[in-house]
Amino acid sequence: MVVEAVVESQVLLQLDTITEGLRIAISWPVIGWMAVGLLLGIVLGALPGIGSPVGMAIVLPLTLPLDATAAIILLVAIYSGAMFGGSIAAILINAPGTESAAATTLDGYPMAKQGLAKNALAIATTASALNGFLAAIVLILISPILIGVVLAFGSPEYFLLAILGISLITIVTQGSLVKGLVAGALGLMISTIGTGILSPTPRFTFGQFGLYNGISFVAALIGMFAFAEMMKLAARSQIAESDIELGGSIKDGVMTVFKYPKTVLKAGLIGMGIGMIPGSGATTSTFVAYAEEARSSATDGRFGEGDPRGVIAPEGANNPTVSGSLVPTLSFGIPGSGSTAVLLGGLLMHGLQPGPTLFGDQLQITYAIFVSLFLSNILIVLVGLSVIPYASRLTEIDTNIIIPVVVVLSFIGAYTLNRNWFDVGAVLALGVLGFYMVRYNYSVIAFVLGIVLGPIAEENFFRSLQISGGSYDIFFDPINRPLSFLLVLGILFILVGPFLKPAIERALNRA
């Protein structure tokens, strides 16, 4: 009876917290910012070269006057809206607005060339929103499990998790282990500039007072994503090279999605599952969903020639990836993509600590974010289907307009952070660095994670040593701290695995 009473009280407590999250998400002006973020995300996502990381990085410093919950929901709405917006350019001009929409070009653009552009856009809208809607529900349902996992982590586990996150992403994002580690290490080095976290000692400031607070990670995000992307975009005069004709039927496109429920469900599960893996991102999930659909439908499919399932699969996977990627970001502070790295920057900037705080005292904020995802996907259907007749105009904007606007907004945003010209200088310097890192295939995401996760790793490392009295055994104790021990094994597996794999394969081939 006592156990049943405890369980019942826990369930009631969860329901009360979810209800409070719902109240926050639908309160004014939070819901207004959600709608603004969604529209902004769709527009930015439809512009190749902009996308969600750039848009979120530009908007991030402008959210300073907002309430923390409203600011984070605004950023999440931009992220979610850009996932759908990226498909507009992918379908109409064969140039994905975001990397995650690249798989949509394979069948979306052939459909547009066949005069079915409206069908393809309606399919993308419906599949993306429907699975995003379902994924948000799943996220709310599994959150009690996440709470238990997150609360089991202490300082040693968070230090090791930060190292694990950097190690994992350096491998997944760019393929080159050495270049990924170099990028991550460079980010970590930059995170050490400024006054020490636990001791008031200036480090690498060269006597410059403006560097005593270190390099702002928000300025770094703006530079690496927004400014660097504008340098790349400068080589292009206009996003679309010619006028675009919109043919087909929106209604037929919507109905097509419901003809393939298995494809929709499978894509949603793939998107959410891969989204939960740090470093994977929506690009991976959309291509995996597309490849799986092409494999399972090989006998009756015409993939690459305008098969509607080739649009349903990647678009059905992209928005669930947003929900999935929030799990490591909010639970452990490990972002899995550029967009979630910016989101993590937003959380820290507004004083929200991922982990036990967001799943403890501030659980209602976490639920408000989850509920906002739920509501955002309803709005994506309404807004997305409404903008289809006008979608082609978004791809005809002159880059001579886009680039100055983004650059000026980036500088204003950086300056307003601390009213410090060093932050503007950081945007310029890191923007140029980011441009050349992308050109020579160094992972920008690993670099940014180094800056974002560096202070978290440093703080928890020294705190762990304070707890253990200076003993490093606290990280390698399988009896008292099994989670720490497992994380150490995970880090070793990630770092050493690629070197051992060829030797293991050679040994197996000889056997």
Side-chain angles (χ1 to χ4, degrees), residues 366-388:
T366 307
Y367 276 126
I369 295 170
F370 293 166
V371 171
S372 74
L373 273 176
F374 183 81
L375 298 175
S376 291
N377 284 288
I378 296 174
L379 289 175
I380 282 179
V381 175
L382 299 175
V383 176
L385 295 179
S386 303
V387 301
I388 284 176

